[in-house]
Amino acid sequence: MPTTKKELDAAAAQEREAEVGDDYVTVPLAGYDGVTKDIRTLPANRWRASALRCLRQGDIDGFMTLVLHEDDYEIYEDLDPDQEGIGHFAEAAARAGGDDLGKSGGSSRSGRNTRRR
């Protein structure tokens, strides 16, 4: 049983990792200076509405806080990616989750109503 603060922190980290399990995928993120590092993120199909709201509102830091593994947020800050890098990151997260960005999981029926006689 852990007794020191360091042991307790390590045990808590292991528990969080076990809870998280395989929820995260690893994708590349390119920084403004061309350096690319792998970071862990939720796959795009697991991004919550709150994360997508941040993204639509231009709050990239808030968005990344919600989708990145907590241990990888500092890597994101160090890389300081531009919009192109964020776009490539989002595409990679979508592919890693088995989706393509821009594809809807909704109905393929025509949006036009048809009148029955």
Side-chain angles (χ1 to χ4, degrees):
M1 177 133 193
T3 56
T4 68
K5 179 167 176 21
K6 188 174 184 178
E7 289 173 330
L8 288 171
D9 289 343
Q14 284 179 335
E15 286 178 29
R16 275 195 312 273
E17 194 68 33
E19 288 172 3
V20 170
D22 292 338
D23 289 344
Y24 290 90
V25 294
T26 302
V27 298
L29 178 64
Y32 75 93
D33 59 358
V35 172
T36 300
K37 293 187 179 180
D38 287 339
I39 58 173
R40 291 167 289 179
T41 182
L42 293 171
N45 61 356
R46 301 265 333 271
W47 293 347
R48 296 177 53 183
S50 55
L52 296 174
R53 263 193 309 278
C54 286
L55 190 58
R56 278 193 305 273
Q57 294 169 354
D59 181 4
I60 303 299
D61 291 339
F63 167 74
M64 292 300 232
T65 298
L66 295 170
V67 301
L68 291 182
H69 188 280
E70 65 186 37
D71 294 341
D72 290 356
Y73 186 81
E74 191 173 309
I75 296 170
Y76 153 73
E77 286 183 315
D78 290 342
L79 289 172
D80 195 20
D82 57 18
Q83 290 299 314
E84 184 177 3
I86 298 293
H88 291 303
F89 159 80
E91 289 170 3
R95 282 191 308 274
D99 292 329
D100 287 326
L101 284 183
K103 286 195 175 180
S104 170
S107 172
S108 60
R109 287 183 48 196
S110 171
R112 252 189 315 166
N113 289 335
T114 56
R115 191 171 131 192
R116 292 186 181 190
R117 295 181 187 220

